[in-house]
């Protein structure tokens, strides 16, 4: 059964987004204070415009189950996906619909809005929001060199990472590779297991870069994990505690966690590979900021609502900052990067999104800020289902996404 709840009015392609390699704008390493001040004023002016977006007309009704099933139920009926949940959010409210099976029994119920899934790299957007909060409270500037926040001696003056900044990490232009070269796991079904902060710091001490800093787009789990570690270290907490305290608790997201309670474990789906075989849940340690969170459709709808300003929260200014396009990917004219968010532009309209893929899951948060509308798609089977996500957003908004 769908779950619907009213939301208060606000106050005021595509499938390869996680594997792109392209040139971006080179950012100067040294800037005068006056130039930094002017850039900061420009960012804040843009944020004021974004936060003060005018209200739109009466929102259209949310899609029903039948229309949603027309787009996604074929995935579960064909066996391509074992179970999935679709969530919608807009000023009209919320709706969630589950299809397929939540567990392995032949007559198992469909998953629902409270079913937990791995969300993989959507975790990076939480890291981006934490970065935006730190910037807005003056704890750091995104142009600060990361070496200033690392344990002394981690990065020496002759290291190629000496001038890497938070902005370089957040826009995947640090030159760091996708994964560190000292992962201890030999299990292809759990490739990140056994990693640690100590191993990450040891890796940084001898890491080399794939490209000059700020110049090329290389999707980097290392960079996102490092950003998460630095923000947590600066806050005197571990990554999960920081994310819960700064984001999940204020938004009422009680099921978005790394460490699960017994009740949450009971509601956690099994992941499946593309052949439909059950696979282990990934254990992500030492790289938490890149992809360790688990969540539900209900929680991610709350997250999307806060990011869109559909639900007014104190996090909105930081969310808007995280959405600002900071680096353009020249080889993909429609793509820019915010703080770990992908910003796609079609027909002068921006869409903000991120997908997550782990060994047995696919997750997507896809938002249209102009419509204050968003879609959440959670699947318990490995694959790329972004095409379905875009179709769901078009169904929600009644508009083509280009």
């Amino acid at each position: 059964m769908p779950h619907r709840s009213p939301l208060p009015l606000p106050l005021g392609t595509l499938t390869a987004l996680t594997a792109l390699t392209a040139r971006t704008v080179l950012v100067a390493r040294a800037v005068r204070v006056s130039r930094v001040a002017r850039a900061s004023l420009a960012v804040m002016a843009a944020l004021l415009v974004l936060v003060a977006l005018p209200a739109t007309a009466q929102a259209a009704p949310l899609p029903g189950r039948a229309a949603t099933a027309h787009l996604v139920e074929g995935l579960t009926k064909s066996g391509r996906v074992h179970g999935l949940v679709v969530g919608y959010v807009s000023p009209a409210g919320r709706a969630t619909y589950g299809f397929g099976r939540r567990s392995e029994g032949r007559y198992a119920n469909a998953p629902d809005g409270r079913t937990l899934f791995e969300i993989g790299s959507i975790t990076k957007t939480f890291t981006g929001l934490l970065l935006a909060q730190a910037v807005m409270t003056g704890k750091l500037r995104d142009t600060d060199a990361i070496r200033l926040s690392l344990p002394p001696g981690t990065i020496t003056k002759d290291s190629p990472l000496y001038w890497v900044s938070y902005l370089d990490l957040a826009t995947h232009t640090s030159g760091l590779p996708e994964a560190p070269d000292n992962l201890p796991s030999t299990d292809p079904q759990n490739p990140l297991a056994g990693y640690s902060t100590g191993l990450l710091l040891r890796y940084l001490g001898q890491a080399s870069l794939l490209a000059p800093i700020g110049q090329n787009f290389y999707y980097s789990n290392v960079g996102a994990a490092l950003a998460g570690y630095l923000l947590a270290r600066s806050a005197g907490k571990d990554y999960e505690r920081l994310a819960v305290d700064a984001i999940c608790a204020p938004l009422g997201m009680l099921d978005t966690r790394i460490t699960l309670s017994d009740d949450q474990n009971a509601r956690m789906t099994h992941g499946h590979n593309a052949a439909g075989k059950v696979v282990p849940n990934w254990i992500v340690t030492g790289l938490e900021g890149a992809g360790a969170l688990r969540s539900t459709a209900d929680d991610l709808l709350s997250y999307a609502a806060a990011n869109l300003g559909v639900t007014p929260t104190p996090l909105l200014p930081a969310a808007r900052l995280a959405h600002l396009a900071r680096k353009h990917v020249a080889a993909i004219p429609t793509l820019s990067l915010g703080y770990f968010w992908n910003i796609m532009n079609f027909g002068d309209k921006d869409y903000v999104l991120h997908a997550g893929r782990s060994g047995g899951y696919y997750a997507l948060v896809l938002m249209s800020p102009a419509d204050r509308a968003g879609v959440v798609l959670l699947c318990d089977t490995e694959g790329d289902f972004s095409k379905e996500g875009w179709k769901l957003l078009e169904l929600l908004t009644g508009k083509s996404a280009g």
Side-chain angles (χ1 to χ4, degrees):
M1 294 293 293
H3 165 69
R4 296 176 182 268
S5 59
L7 290 173
L9 292 175
L11 290 177
T13 213
L14 290 161
T15 62
L17 294 176
T18 58
L20 297 170
T21 301
R23 292 185 177 274
T24 57
V25 179
L26 175 63
V27 175
R29 294 295 96 203
V31 292
R32 297 192 306 273
V33 172
S34 60
R35 290 180 61 195
V36 172
R38 288 198 298 270
S40 298
L41 288 172
V43 168
M44 295 310 297
L47 281 174
L48 287 173
V49 172
L50 286 168
V51 173
L53 287 173
T56 59
Q58 182 67 34
L62 296 171
R65 182 178 181 86
T68 304
H70 179 72
L71 296 179
V72 301
E73 196 168 28
L75 293 173
T76 55
K77 286 188 172 181
S78 68
R80 176 63 187 89
V81 174
H82 181 267
L84 65 86
V85 179
V86 172
Y88 300 107
V89 63
S90 81
R94 306 184 191 192
T96 57
Y97 304 102
F99 301 90
R101 293 175 291 159
R102 191 186 75 81
S103 57
E104 303 310 303
R106 182 176 179 183
Y107 300 106
N109 292 329
D112 59 25
R114 298 184 68 243
T115 304
L116 280 94
F117 296 76
E118 291 183 11
I119 63 170
S121 288
I122 293 175
T123 304
K124 293 179 175 69
T125 70
F126 286 74
T127 303
L129 182 52
L130 293 171
L131 173 59
Q133 290 174 314
V135 170
M136 295 205 70
T137 56
K139 294 179 180 177
L140 58 84
R141 295 178 301 181
D142 61 14
T143 53
D144 286 345
I146 60 170
R147 70 174 187 278
L148 302 175
S149 303
L150 284 165
T154 302
I155 294 178
T156 60
K157 193 169 185 178
D158 59 351
S159 168
L161 281 66
Y162 192 76
W163 289 110
V164 169
S165 71
Y166 285 92
L167 184 61
D168 297 320
L169 297 181
T171 56
H172 297 291
T173 55
S174 66
L176 286 165
E178 181 176 5
D181 62 8
N182 62 342
L183 292 172
S185 175
T186 58
D187 181 359
Q189 293 189 325
N190 230 319
L192 306 180
Y195 207 64
S196 66
T197 298
L199 286 172
L200 176 63
L201 295 176
R202 191 180 309 167
Y203 166 76
L204 294 176
Q206 50 82 44
S208 58
L209 300 181
L210 300 175
I213 298 168
Q215 196 168 45
N216 295 85
F217 179 95
Y218 283 101
Y219 189 85
S220 178
N221 288 315
V222 180
L226 178 55
Y229 161 72
L230 291 171
L231 293 164
R233 172 179 164 81
S234 297
K237 303 177 180 182
D238 63 33
Y239 180 83
E240 180 176 21
R241 177 45 51 194
L242 177 60
V244 169
D245 290 349
I247 300 174
C248 301
L251 299 184
M253 299 169 61
L254 302 181
D255 283 326
T256 302
R257 299 290 190 273
I258 296 173
T259 306
L260 302 184
S261 67
D262 290 344
D263 171 66
Q264 289 166 334
N265 272 314
R267 290 184 282 121
M268 181 79 191
T269 57
H270 298 295
H272 301 77
N273 63 20
K277 182 180 178 181
V278 174
V279 294
N281 290 112
W282 276 14
I283 300 170
V284 182
T285 54
L287 300 169
E288 290 90 345
L293 287 173
R294 292 92 182 268
S295 190
T296 65
D298 283 351
D299 269 15
L300 290 180
L301 288 176
S302 295
Y303 184 56
N307 272 272
L308 290 163
V310 174
T311 300
T313 79
L315 276 64
L316 181 59
R320 296 303 194 201
L321 175 58
H323 297 173
L324 280 180
R326 309 305 297 274
K327 297 288 182 75
H328 178 244
V329 180
I332 310 293
T334 56
L335 176 63
S336 296
L337 279 299
Y339 288 170
F340 293 110
W341 282 105
N342 299 301
I343 299 103
M344 303 295 296
N345 182 275
F346 302 116
D348 296 323
K349 185 175 180 180
D350 285 342
Y351 299 88
V352 179
L353 66 149
H354 211 296
R357 292 177 68 173
S358 53
Y361 298 86
Y362 174 84
L364 176 68
V365 174
L366 172 58
M367 301 179 290
S368 173
D371 299 299
R372 296 200 306 282
V375 167
V376 169
L377 175 60
L378 299 176
C379 302
D380 69 357
T381 306
E382 195 279 331
D384 183 356
F385 305 105
S386 55
K387 179 176 70 173
E388 286 76 13
W390 285 96
K391 289 180 178 179
L392 291 165
L393 184 66
E394 291 180 350
L395 177 65
L396 174 60
T397 62
K399 303 170 186 177
S400 172

